[in-house]
């Protein structure tokens, strides 16, 4: 029983460390940043078709699947704060990792993507 508690404590501590890395934000955090008019740049890494179906207001489209994705990302100002999202969080998570590898420091993945955004009753623009 004691070992179980030690393992549970270790797992809880490790997950807290992973979350404190600052790479992920939930939709309520992103929504609050937008409401507070924080100086963030929203990057939508979905396809142009997905983007046209609805996106966060003010978002810039950089298609993750585009052959020029890396070149487009390199054109961005690495000193700015970025929130990256996709449909459910997979492409945006990979995009954040890629951005960090090329020198972006203040870049975050919106966990759950557009699906989580809509589940939270937040609106999209077309």
């Amino acid at each position: 029983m004691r070992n179980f508690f030690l393992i549970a404590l270790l797992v809880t501590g490790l997950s807290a460390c992973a979350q404190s890395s600052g790479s992920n934000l939930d939709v309520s955090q992103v929504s609050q940043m937008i409401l507070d008019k924080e100086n963030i740049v929203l990057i939508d890494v979905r396809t142009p078709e997905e983007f046209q179906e609805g996106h966060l207001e003010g978002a810039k489209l950089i298609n993750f699947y585009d052959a020029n994705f890396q070149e487009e990302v390199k054109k961005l100002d690495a000193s700015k704060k970025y929130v990256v999202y996709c449909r459910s969080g997979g492409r945006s998570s990979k995009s954040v990792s890629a951005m960090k590898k090329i020198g972006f420091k203040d870049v975050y993945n919106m966990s759950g993507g557009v699906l989580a955004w809509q589940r939270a009753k937040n609106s999209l623009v077309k």
Side-chain angles (χ1 to χ4, degrees), residues 33-46:
M33 292 167 81
I34 293 168
L35 287 172
D36 291 345
K37 299 191 185 311
E38 282 193 36
N39 192 17
I40 59 171
V41 179
L42 297 168
I43 303 291
D44 186 323
V45 295
R46 298 176 301 154

Side-chain angles (χ1 to χ4, degrees), residues 24-126:
N24 293 303
L25 299 172
D26 63 36
V27 293
S28 64
Q29 291 171 300
V30 175
S31 179
Q32 192 61 52
M33 292 167 81
I34 293 168
L35 287 172
D36 291 345
K37 299 191 185 311
E38 282 193 36
N39 192 17
I40 59 171
V41 179
L42 297 168
I43 303 291
D44 186 323
V45 295
R46 298 176 301 154
T47 65
E49 296 79 18
E50 289 173 302
F51 186 81
Q52 288 176 351
E53 290 173 5
H55 55 274
L56 277 68
E57 188 170 358
K60 175 179 176 54
L61 175 63
I62 304 179
N63 182 0
F64 178 77
Y65 294 126
D66 192 319
N68 297 325
F69 176 76
Q70 288 283 347
E71 289 77 27
E72 291 300 313
V73 168
K74 288 177 183 177
K75 292 178 185 176
L76 299 172
D77 182 349
S79 69
K80 291 187 177 182
K81 184 176 192 174
Y82 294 92
V83 175
V84 184
Y85 71 92
C86 62
R87 181 176 180 270
S88 61
R91 287 174 278 180
S92 56
S93 180
K94 291 174 186 174
S95 297
V96 166
S97 293
M99 291 173 77
K100 286 184 175 189
K101 284 181 185 174
I102 60 174
F104 287 81
K105 303 275 188 251
D106 213 2
V107 58
Y108 304 91
N109 173 49
M110 185 174 81
S111 297
V114 168
L115 295 177
W117 185 260
Q118 290 178 300
R119 275 194 306 272
K121 307 280 190 246
N122 293 314
S123 63
L124 298 173
V125 297
K126 293 185 179 189

